[in-house]
Amino acid sequence: MDWTEDESAILDQIERFAADVLAPRAAELDETQTFAICHLPMMSELGLMGLNLPEDDGGLGLSGPALYRAVEIIAGACGSTASMLTAHYLATDSLHLGADAELRARILPRAAAGALGAFALTEPEAGSNPADMRTTARREGAGYRIRGSKAFISNAGAAEFMVVFAKTDPDAGARGVSAFLVEPGVTPGVSVAAAERTMGLRGGHVFGVTFDCLVPEENRIGAEGSGFRTAMRVLDNGRIEVAAQATGIAAAALDASIRYAQERRVGGHPIADFQGLQWMLADSANDLAAARALGYAAARLRGTGTRYATESAHAKLFASEAAWRIADRALQVHGGYGYCRDFPLERYLRDLRIFRIYEGSSEIQRTIIARGLLA
């Protein structure tokens, strides 16, 4: 992949940070369930919180493919940190794509400098179909009264701002959804529950959030009824970033299995000499190459002004499922040691499992792809 000189320098810096800081602490974050915001000061200093934003919004303005590679590097070192970071990108993308210039100028440079964001779309009874949401935003005085609950909201416990989706017209389905900026620290009536106890990404905390708060009209992101369209455009980006996370972790698993196969000896020979194991490695390399190709193909469309829902669905679906196969084979290569927590393979598998669910489950991605075929 060809990068600009500036992008190459940024990616080199991210690789050093991932190797020197993230990877050595990844197991500790998982074991202790330490929130990945512990890395936020250094990530902010390096500009990682604004990689997805153009320079006009305070970011570094990476191209889509370079951003894909950046997320892949971070995820390969620490899945929890990548999860925290990409959830922040969902919030800032919402403002970049949907907000007016005044609201963007008020929030995005601060977000790129490290003010953590959260993307509050999912609800207890509205996950795969966000149009079923029950959270409402009704006119009250010079603003909106937001009432309702959200579930599994990454970063909410430490977020300085949230992008909250709510029904301004409960009878209009998806066309009645609007988006709002909510700043928990200055807005009374936002209650965040304790972090959920999750199977994987245990340092990338998710929370339930309850709202009964008043926000000013200028905090509405775009026109009334435009929220669902904004969310879908944001999720096109988010699904590419999920694909990048999946390929990053899968690459780490494949690298670990190659090293182990070359070092582990049976009958005086490294197990890498055995054809059956070689084929497992070859299948994993093939899966990884295909996942990356789909991911980069979708990433090249980012920022072009065209919709790429089908391409991002292809990337997310294939990468999330291929990464699971790669990590599972890697654990098999390690044998009993792979099942032990002293090795990272079981963590990779636990971290990867959610990728087939969030940002639209595998079943939703298949539906998106099929609709594109039948349109």
Side-chain angles (χ1 to χ4, degrees):
M1 184 63 64
D2 294 326
W3 320 114
T4 67
E5 186 175 340
D6 287 345
E7 287 175 338
S8 292
I10 291 168
L11 292 173
D12 286 346
Q13 192 174 42
I14 292 171
E15 285 187 336
R16 291 193 296 272
F17 170 67
D20 296 343
V21 178
L22 297 183
R25 289 201 64 191
E28 176 192 348
L29 262 62
D30 177 72
E31 183 69 28
T32 61
Q33 301 186 60
T34 299
F35 199 175
I37 58 167
C38 62
H39 295 307
L40 188 56
M42 189 173 293
M43 295 173 71
S44 302
E45 184 178 339
L46 293 173
L48 304 190
M49 307 307 289
L51 291 180
N52 62 314
L53 294 174
E55 293 180 2
D56 289 348
D57 283 334
L60 296 182
L62 289 191
S63 66
L67 178 60
Y68 185 99
R69 179 57 186 153
V71 171
E72 188 180 40
I73 293 167
I74 294 166
C78 179
S80 291
T81 301
S83 176
M84 180 268 289
L85 180 63
T86 55
H88 171 78
Y89 290 165
L90 293 177
T92 55
D93 272 353
S94 299
L95 290 161
H96 169 64
L97 293 172
D100 60 27
E102 183 178 348
L103 191 54
R104 293 199 308 272
R106 175 154 67 93
I107 300 297
L108 288 181
R110 185 158 57 92
L116 190 65
F119 179 81
L121 178 66
T122 300
E123 296 188 3
E125 298 184 28
S128 294
N129 186 8
D132 286 342
M133 70 178 59
R134 297 184 178 183
T135 298
T136 60
R138 301 186 184 278
R139 291 271 186 178
E140 184 174 312
Y144 292 84
R145 171 70 62 179
I146 300 176
R147 287 193 175 98
S149 298
K150 300 292 181 177
F152 305 118
I153 306 305
S154 297
N155 299 344
E160 294 190 34
F161 68 95
M162 300 181 187
V163 174
V164 181
F165 295 84
K167 286 281 187 71
T168 45
D169 184 350
D171 298 324
R175 293 183 177 87
V177 176
S178 301
F180 298 88
L181 173 75
V182 176
E183 298 173 271
V186 297
T187 306
V190 180
S191 178
V192 181
E196 300 284 356
R197 299 177 63 192
T198 55
M199 171 183 169
L201 299 177
R202 302 202 313 172
H205 291 182
V206 298
F207 306 83
V209 189
T210 301
F211 300 91
D212 187 354
C213 61
L214 185 65
V215 298
E217 184 171 4
E218 56 265 27
N219 279 26
R220 191 184 68 223
I221 299 171
E224 279 196 13
S226 67
F228 188 79
R229 292 192 300 276
T230 296
M232 294 303 100
R233 293 175 67 198
V234 169
L235 289 174
D236 287 347
N237 289 344
R239 287 164 181 157
I240 297 172
E241 289 156 11
V242 171
Q245 291 177 75
T247 55
I249 296 174
L254 178 56
D255 288 345
S257 62
I258 292 170
R259 288 193 302 270
Y260 187 81
Q262 292 172 329
E263 295 168 0
R264 178 80 165 98
R265 302 181 74 83
V266 173
H269 298 278
I271 61 174
D273 288 350
F274 302 147
Q275 187 181 64
L277 189 142
Q278 291 174 1
W279 286 6
M280 292 170 67
L281 297 178
D283 284 344
S284 290
N286 199 51
D287 271 343
L288 182 60
R292 277 180 169 151
L294 285 170
Y296 279 122
R300 290 187 193 98
L301 298 174
R302 183 170 183 153
T304 61
T306 61
R307 283 300 305 275
Y308 42 95
T310 298
E311 290 82 359
S312 66
H314 277 300
K316 197 263 187 187
L317 173 64
F318 189 86
S320 62
E321 300 201 342
W324 178 265
R325 296 192 295 269
I326 293 167
D328 186 61
R329 291 189 198 108
L331 191 152
Q332 191 75 9
V333 168
H334 282 71
Y337 288 110
Y339 199 65
C340 297
R341 300 193 68 173
D342 290 337
F343 286 74
L345 278 305
E346 61 86 29
R347 170 164 52 87
Y348 294 156
L349 279 168
R350 286 189 288 106
D351 285 352
L352 284 167
R353 186 59 184 88
I354 190 61
F355 295 160
R356 288 152 62 192
I357 298 173
Y358 74 2
E359 313 292 15
S361 66
S362 291
E363 292 72 26
I364 292 296
Q365 304 315 308
R366 290 184 172 94
T367 297
I368 292 169
I369 294 166
R371 285 174 178 169
L373 293 173
L374 299 172

